[in-house]
PDB file of all heavy atoms in Angstrom:
ATOM      1  N   ILE A  19      -7.320  -2.741  11.621  1.00 69.00           N
ATOM      2  CA  ILE A  19      -7.180  -3.181  13.011  1.00 69.00           C
ATOM      3  C   ILE A  19      -8.426  -3.792  13.520  1.00 69.00           C
ATOM      4  O   ILE A  19      -8.427  -4.825  14.208  1.00 69.00           O
ATOM      5  CB  ILE A  19      -6.656  -2.001  13.883  1.00 69.00           C
ATOM      6  CG1 ILE A  19      -5.234  -1.619  13.554  1.00 69.00           C
ATOM      7  CG2 ILE A  19      -6.837  -2.327  15.391  1.00 69.00           C
ATOM      8  CD1 ILE A  19      -4.768  -0.362  14.193  1.00 69.00           C
ATOM      9  N   MET A  20      -9.587  -3.165  13.174  1.00 73.00           N
ATOM     10  CA  MET A  20     -10.877  -3.692  13.665  1.00 73.00           C
ATOM     11  C   MET A  20     -11.132  -5.093  13.049  1.00 73.00           C
ATOM     12  O   MET A  20     -11.673  -5.968  13.737  1.00 73.00           O
ATOM     13  CB  MET A  20     -12.037  -2.780  13.278  1.00 73.00           C
ATOM     14  CG  MET A  20     -11.967  -1.443  13.957  1.00 73.00           C
ATOM     15  SD  MET A  20     -11.918  -1.642  15.770  1.00 73.00           S
ATOM     16  CE  MET A  20     -11.342  -0.048  16.245  1.00 73.00           C
ATOM     17  N   LEU A  30     -10.673 -17.323  18.518  1.00 95.00           N
ATOM     18  CA  LEU A  30     -10.766 -17.689  19.936  1.00 95.00           C
ATOM     19  C   LEU A  30     -12.052 -18.428  20.226  1.00 95.00           C
ATOM     20  O   LEU A  30     -12.088 -19.388  20.998  1.00 95.00           O
ATOM     21  CB  LEU A  30     -10.644 -16.469  20.810  1.00 95.00           C
ATOM     22  CG  LEU A  30      -9.197 -15.893  21.029  1.00 95.00           C
ATOM     23  CD1 LEU A  30      -9.283 -14.650  21.839  1.00 95.00           C
ATOM     24  CD2 LEU A  30      -8.317 -16.915  21.699  1.00 95.00           C
ATOM     25  N   GLY A  37     -12.409 -26.842  22.375  1.00 94.00           N
ATOM     26  CA  GLY A  37     -12.022 -27.251  23.750  1.00 94.00           C
ATOM     27  C   GLY A  37     -13.152 -27.853  24.546  1.00 94.00           C
ATOM     28  O   GLY A  37     -13.035 -28.795  25.232  1.00 94.00           O
ATOM     29  N   ALA A  42     -16.066 -32.520  26.578  1.00 90.00           N
ATOM     30  CA  ALA A  42     -17.280 -33.344  26.647  1.00 90.00           C
ATOM     31  C   ALA A  42     -17.003 -34.763  26.234  1.00 90.00           C
ATOM     32  O   ALA A  42     -17.529 -35.701  26.793  1.00 90.00           O
ATOM     33  CB  ALA A  42     -18.391 -32.745  25.750  1.00 90.00           C
TER      34      ALA A  42
END
Side-chain angles (χ1 to χ4, degrees):
I19 290 171
M20 295 303 162
L30 282 176

